[in-house]
Amino acid sequence: MHEIKIGLLGCGTVGTGVWKVLMDGREQIREKTGHTISVARILVRSLDKVRPKEIPSELFTTRIEDILDDPEISVVVELMGGIEPAGELVERAISAGKHIVTANKALMASYGPELFKKAHEKGVQLRFEGSVGGGIPVIAAMTESLAANRFEQVTGIINGTTNYILTKMTQDGLSFEDALRRAQEKGYAEADPTSDIEGEDAAFKLAILASIAFETRILPQAVPCEGIRRISITEIEYARRLGYVIKLLATAKRTPEGLVLHVHPALVPQTHPLASVSDEYNALFIRGDAVGELMLYGKGAGSMPTASAVVGDVLYIVQDRGMQGGGHSQSQEIPIKGEGAGEYYIRLQVADQPGVLGTIAMVFGRYEVSVASVVQQGQGQDVVPLVFVTHRVDKFILDQALTEIEAFPEVREIASILRVETL
Amino acid sequence: MHEIKIGLLGCGTVGTGVWKVLMDGREQIREKTGHTISVARILVRSLDKVRPKEIPSELFTTRIEDILDDPEISVVVELMGGIEPAGELVERAISAGKHIVTANKALMASYGPELFKKAHEKGVQLRFEGSVGGGIPVIAAMTESLAANRFEQVTGIINGTTNYILTKMTQDGLSFEDALRRAQEKGYAEADPTSDIEGEDAAFKLAILASIAFETRILPQAVPCEGIRRISITEIEYARRLGYVIKLLATAKRTPEGLVLHVHPALVPQTHPLASVSDEYNALFIRGDAVGELMLYGKGAGSMPTASAVVGDVLYIVQDRGMQGGGHSQSQEIPIKGEGAGEYYIRLQVADQPGVLGTIAMVFGRYEVSVASVVQQGQGQDVVPLVFVTHRVDKFILDQALTEIEAFPEVREIASILRVETL
């Protein structure tokens, strides 16, 4: 029987969740691990802010030294988010010989390898399950359970805010703006939702996942990234008619030419398990040479799910399961390539005149762009939508064909080009 | 750098997969773990049988002593299946100080606690990820990543054969017999499919999962079990019209009165992620107090997926991550209760006469069985189906009402009673 003391950096929504999981699970944790685990100190920016009243006020401190210099604290849990000052404090905690658990995606995506190196030198562990996918155990799955696999693909719905917005647009016919407002009311989107909406949050997480999957270093700024702001109800409706659901997907795929990496809205077949991932849920779809297709689904954010991952990491360390678990080697250099070939959904706005479809189809034919489906509906208006889904085509060729198509006077606008994900 | 030697017990489809994963992944395993892992000996029943030609014939032996007495072999991988002689050989391997990896559901469901005790005494590890859900890392998720949770429910599609059969019936309109034949042709069902079809295979796996989730000992024979033999196209079609898919579900749920445990065909809402688990795929739906709802999806059987789990376990042991990981405590005594209350689908075959619906509805009303949906279609035949879906009702009360209903001369048959799963 051993008393393990941890120091928390930050006491926001996840920090409060960690406190609650440790308190509510006290008995169970003691039974499972033979240890009691308690929060000894909590670093906060100001002592004046109102804190959850179940946490004793004497635990709060504004001095990091109260944690770093306390020899009884063996694990530091970083929940501040952002790169600084979190990064500096984590480095100092490692130097002080503390094990680290973090849920900080920005820090791990940008400085993971440096922190691992430092942790390795100091003989401490660094675990980060909560940084991607909230309570979904994707890091442990990839680094431990599936360690025998060579990974071929990781594709995920890894941003809950955008998935909630797209779900409300799809299921309730809300506009983007109304769905965003609903997400903000529910607490799924922040006052400034830019990082979620533009795909930046997903790019951080994809950088972490791809680095693990392909044993290489991928920085978040290397991930081509497109958000959901220009997805309209029109696209969602046409996608539905064609048998698809629009999702913001983060993808990393090994190809003979290199890694294909991107975050972008894409059409997913309605029958694919990723299509039924709704609301604020996340899912990770993984393909490995031995395991085949695997999907992990759950709550990708929030106080308690993320706390589940964080406390899971703490229990792992407490049970002293060695050093390799959390780390990921970055031995390989793999070129990162752009979007490449794929299937595409294209919506044109065209004049409602006879012969337009033929004109456009001729151009596609000349460029050998093969068309899988077309939806055309005259609506008695001057300008009508004309939707194509192509078979697999090189994006470069498609762009050439579309440049030519755009020049026709009957074509008023290329309103949308979206990827169809072939999973 | 360390050379790890393992001994295989059995060389069927999973054994061959393990060989392949270790050979193909040689370089990668060395990079990730710093060790090389090789198969030193393989125990088989007869040396005369034709074996995969990529495996050197000098590795095969019929003498267990060649493995147990070899001090260089540190891990024994048991892939024979069945309780004996696998159980005895595993015990002897533990006594000889070997770590154990097994994919044997029958053995772990029936004698898991005894084997853990023995392994603990001898200071060796016992891991069994491959015994449930093939390559899906459900055991690691529950015992490690989600260790901070108190589990409330585990519901799974954990038998690939029956899921394949139900999928073919649902998607292609095949009869049960034709779908079973197709499964046998594809190698998803054995010549004698009884254990799969009757739910016994799923009951073994559920016993393992529920024992872990609820930290108690649940023997497979304690799991009430019903197979899919009486599911007809008629039921599947009515379920579809009412917004459901029929799946063989294995469920363990904590209730104030005790554990509710069962394996049975049930109606799953079409929008639930479990509904899109098709063909031979498996999925585990887990609810924990912190993580909320989590689902793991993948290939639940087969040579390579199961080998992925088995080699993952070997790598875990090789990296010496301590003892607690695989074990599960069985400290709690929780009463197991029967089916209890729930929502039900009932198909009656009734005479096509006016007033029948009213007569039956009156009986339901008297027993306070509240009806959620009714489908009645006169088809110009003497006897027509009449389908009810109830709201939540005590099974005992429902049975009383149905006994009374069955006595009416207009009611020819209670053709089907199925559970509607409220997930």
Side-chain angles (χ1 to χ4, degrees):
Chain A
M1 181 73 164
H2 204 118
E3 166 113 30
I4 310 277
K5 294 194 171 175
I6 72 177
L8 286 191
L9 312 186
C11 192
T13 159
V14 178
T16 312
V18 168
W19 173 271
K20 195 168 150 49
V21 169
L22 287 174
M23 291 307 280
D24 293 355
R26 234 182 150 66
E27 279 309 305
Q28 186 187 324
I29 289 169
R30 184 157 38 204
E31 271 174 31
K32 276 191 194 172
T33 68
H35 303 294
T36 56
I37 300 174
S38 61
V39 176
R41 293 317 287 270
I42 306 174
L43 181 75
V44 290
R45 228 168 284 171
S46 156
L47 294 178
D48 300 331
K49 212 174 141 182
V50 178
R51 305 287 172 186
K53 62 178 183 305
E54 63 268 31
I55 306 181
S57 60
E58 65 269 23
L59 297 189
F60 293 104
T61 176
T62 56
R63 291 172 20 96
I64 183 71
E65 292 75 17
D66 288 345
I67 291 174
L68 300 187
D69 297 347
D70 184 341
E72 293 202 339
I73 293 178
S74 53
V75 183
V76 166
V77 174
E78 185 275 307
L79 302 169
M80 309 170 79
I83 290 176
E84 288 305 343
E88 190 215 324
L89 296 180
V90 166
E91 280 203 48
R92 289 177 62 189
I94 293 172
S95 296
K98 316 292 190 196
H99 297 295
I100 306 291
V101 173
T102 175
N104 188 329
K105 58 186 172 277
L107 183 62
M108 290 310 295
S110 302
Y111 297 103
E114 286 79 9
L115 294 173
F116 271 114
K117 188 161 172 286
K118 220 172 146 69
H120 191 75
E121 286 163 10
K122 287 294 293 182
V124 298
Q125 294 198 55
L126 168 57
R127 294 184 66 85
F128 56 104
E129 184 66 82
S131 66
V132 182
I136 307 171
V138 60
I139 309 285
M142 291 178 75
T143 57
E144 293 161 22
S145 302
L146 304 177
N149 286 263
R150 184 172 192 265
F151 294 106
E152 291 153 11
Q153 181 181 358
V154 186
T155 294
I157 295 171
I158 50 180
N159 179 272
T161 307
T162 48
N163 202 44
Y164 180 84
I165 291 171
L166 290 172
T167 302
K168 289 300 134 189
M169 292 173 73
T170 304
Q171 289 179 359
D172 304 344
L174 295 190
S175 68
F176 172 80
E177 288 73 21
D178 288 345
L180 171 58
R181 205 166 308 123
R182 178 94 60 95
Q184 286 169 325
E185 284 161 15
K186 285 237 177 192
Y188 296 149
E190 298 179 48
D192 176 3
T194 313
S195 169
D196 292 318
I197 300 296
E198 301 297 345
E200 190 193 78
D201 173 88
F204 278 127
K205 294 168 180 168
L206 183 64
I208 296 173
L209 293 174
S211 297
I212 295 172
F214 304 114
E215 292 165 67
T216 184
R217 179 168 194 172
I218 290 159
L219 288 169
Q221 50 271 32
V223 178
C225 188
E226 185 192 315
I228 63 162
R229 215 181 269 278
R230 61 194 187 85
I231 300 299
S232 67
I233 285 288
T234 312
E235 257 55 74
I236 287 174
E237 182 48 34
Y238 276 105
R240 192 190 59 70
R241 272 199 245 168
L242 291 159
Y244 298 97
V245 180
I246 296 183
K247 294 289 182 191
L248 182 68
L249 294 187
T251 292
K253 209 185 283 191
R254 199 196 289 269
T255 74
E257 295 80 37
L259 282 187
V260 175
L261 274 179
H262 43 73
V263 171
H264 62 199
L267 280 71
V268 176
Q270 279 161 357
T271 50
H272 192 277
L274 279 178
S276 60
V277 177
S278 300
D279 297 320
E280 78 279 22
Y281 280 86
N282 281 15
L284 276 306
F285 178 85
I286 298 167
R287 185 178 277 127
D289 61 346
V291 77
E293 297 180 354
L294 191 80
M295 195 174 91
L296 311 177
Y297 162 99
K299 283 194 176 146
S303 170
M304 295 298 281
T306 309
S308 165
V310 167
V311 177
D313 276 349
V314 172
L315 295 179
Y316 190 100
I317 290 172
V318 162
Q319 291 179 82
D320 196 19
R321 293 205 183 102
M323 294 297 304
Q324 291 102 325
H328 46 282
S329 59
Q330 268 120 1
S331 52
Q332 296 187 44
E333 281 284 339
I334 310 177
I336 296 174
K337 72 190 268 295
E339 200 166 4
E343 299 173 15
Y344 289 89
Y345 161 102
I346 301 138
R347 176 165 63 91
L348 308 174
Q349 293 294 114
V350 301
D352 194 6
Q353 295 166 9
V356 177
L357 177 60
T359 308
I360 293 165
M362 286 288 287
V363 178
F364 278 145
R366 201 145 25 79
Y367 282 93
E368 299 189 349
V369 175
S370 170
V371 173
S373 340
V374 188
V375 181
Q376 186 185 29
Q377 281 182 315
Q379 298 167 314
Q381 290 162 314
D382 289 350
V383 178
V384 294
L386 177 56
V387 172
F388 292 89
V389 175
T390 72
H391 284 299
R392 191 171 175 78
V393 57
D394 195 300
K395 181 67 163 45
F396 178 73
I397 304 288
L398 179 66
D399 285 341
Q400 284 188 303
L402 288 174
T403 304
E404 201 167 308
I405 287 167
E406 205 174 7
F408 291 121
E410 301 92 329
V411 176
R412 299 298 152 79
E413 190 193 356
I414 298 179
S416 183
I417 307 173
L418 292 171
R419 182 93 170 210
V420 178
E421 205 67 29
T422 46
L423 290 150
Chain B
M1 181 74 162
H2 204 118
E3 166 115 31
I4 311 276
K5 295 194 172 175
I6 71 179
L8 286 191
L9 311 187
C11 193
T13 159
V14 178
T16 312
V18 168
W19 173 270
K20 195 168 150 48
V21 169
L22 286 175
M23 291 307 279
D24 294 355
R26 233 181 151 67
E27 280 308 305
Q28 185 188 324
I29 289 169
R30 184 157 37 201
E31 271 173 31
K32 275 190 195 172
T33 68
H35 303 293
T36 56
I37 301 173
S38 60
V39 175
R41 293 317 288 267
I42 306 173
L43 181 75
V44 290
R45 226 167 286 170
S46 155
L47 294 178
D48 300 333
K49 210 172 142 185
V50 178
R51 304 289 173 186
K53 63 177 185 305
E54 64 269 28
I55 306 179
S57 59
E58 65 269 24
L59 298 190
F60 293 104
T61 177
T62 55
R63 291 172 20 94
I64 183 72
E65 293 76 16
D66 289 344
I67 291 173
L68 300 187
D69 297 347
D70 184 342
E72 294 203 338
I73 293 177
S74 52
V75 183
V76 166
V77 174
E78 185 275 306
L79 302 169
M80 309 169 79
I83 289 175
E84 289 306 342
E88 189 216 327
L89 296 180
V90 166
E91 280 202 51
R92 289 177 60 189
I94 293 172
S95 297
K98 317 289 189 196
H99 298 295
I100 306 290
V101 173
T102 177
N104 189 328
K105 59 187 172 277
L107 183 61
M108 290 309 296
S110 302
Y111 296 102
E114 286 78 8
L115 294 173
F116 271 113
K117 187 160 173 285
K118 218 170 148 71
H120 192 75
E121 285 163 10
K122 286 294 294 183
V124 298
Q125 294 198 54
L126 168 58
R127 295 184 66 84
F128 56 104
E129 184 65 80
S131 66
V132 182
I136 306 171
V138 60
I139 309 286
M142 291 177 75
T143 55
E144 293 160 24
S145 302
L146 305 177
N149 286 265
R150 184 171 193 265
F151 294 106
E152 290 152 12
Q153 182 181 358
V154 185
T155 294
I157 296 172
I158 50 179
N159 179 271
T161 308
T162 48
N163 202 45
Y164 181 84
I165 291 171
L166 290 173
T167 301
K168 289 300 135 191
M169 291 173 73
T170 304
Q171 290 179 359
D172 304 344
L174 297 190
S175 68
F176 172 80
E177 288 74 20
D178 288 345
L180 171 57
R181 206 167 308 123
R182 179 93 61 96
Q184 286 169 324
E185 284 161 15
K186 286 238 176 194
Y188 297 148
E190 296 177 49
D192 176 3
T194 312
S195 168
D196 292 319
I197 299 298
E198 302 296 347
E200 188 192 79
D201 173 86
F204 277 128
K205 295 168 180 168
L206 183 64
I208 294 174
L209 293 174
S211 297
I212 294 172
F214 303 114
E215 292 164 66
T216 183
R217 180 168 194 170
I218 291 157
L219 288 170
Q221 50 272 31
V223 178
C225 189
E226 185 192 316
I228 63 162
R229 216 181 270 278
R230 61 192 189 90
I231 300 300
S232 68
I233 285 288
T234 312
E235 257 54 76
I236 287 174
E237 182 49 32
Y238 276 106
R240 192 190 60 70
R241 272 198 246 170
L242 291 160
Y244 297 97
V245 180
I246 296 183
K247 294 288 182 192
L248 181 68
L249 293 186
T251 290
K253 210 184 285 193
R254 200 196 288 271
T255 74
E257 295 80 38
L259 283 187
V260 175
L261 274 179
H262 43 74
V263 170
H264 62 197
L267 280 71
V268 177
Q270 279 160 358
T271 50
H272 193 277
L274 279 178
S276 61
V277 177
S278 300
D279 296 320
E280 77 278 23
Y281 280 85
N282 281 15
L284 277 307
F285 178 86
I286 297 166
R287 185 179 276 127
D289 62 346
V291 77
E293 298 181 353
L294 191 80
M295 194 175 93
L296 311 176
Y297 162 98
K299 283 193 178 148
S303 169
M304 295 298 280
T306 309
S308 165
V310 167
V311 178
D313 276 349
V314 171
L315 295 179
Y316 190 101
I317 290 173
V318 162
Q319 292 179 81
D320 195 19
R321 294 205 184 100
M323 294 297 304
Q324 292 101 326
H328 45 281
S329 59
Q330 268 122 0
S331 51
Q332 297 187 44
E333 281 283 342
I334 310 176
I336 295 173
K337 74 190 266 296
E339 202 165 5
E343 299 173 15
Y344 289 89
Y345 161 103
I346 302 138
R347 177 164 63 91
L348 308 174
Q349 293 294 114
V350 300
D352 193 7
Q353 295 167 9
V356 177
L357 177 61
T359 308
I360 293 165
M362 286 288 287
V363 178
F364 279 145
R366 200 145 25 77
Y367 281 93
E368 298 189 351
V369 174
S370 170
V371 173
S373 338
V374 188
V375 181
Q376 185 185 29
Q377 281 181 314
Q379 298 167 314
Q381 291 163 310
D382 288 352
V383 178
V384 294
L386 177 56
V387 173
F388 294 90
V389 175
T390 72
H391 284 298
R392 191 170 175 78
V393 56
D394 195 303
K395 183 66 164 44
F396 178 74
I397 303 288
L398 179 66
D399 285 342
Q400 284 188 303
L402 288 174
T403 306
E404 200 166 308
I405 287 167
E406 204 173 10
F408 290 121
E410 302 93 328
V411 175
R412 300 296 151 79
E413 189 192 358
I414 297 178
S416 182
I417 307 173
L418 291 170
R419 182 91 170 211
V420 177
E421 204 67 29
T422 46
L423 291 148

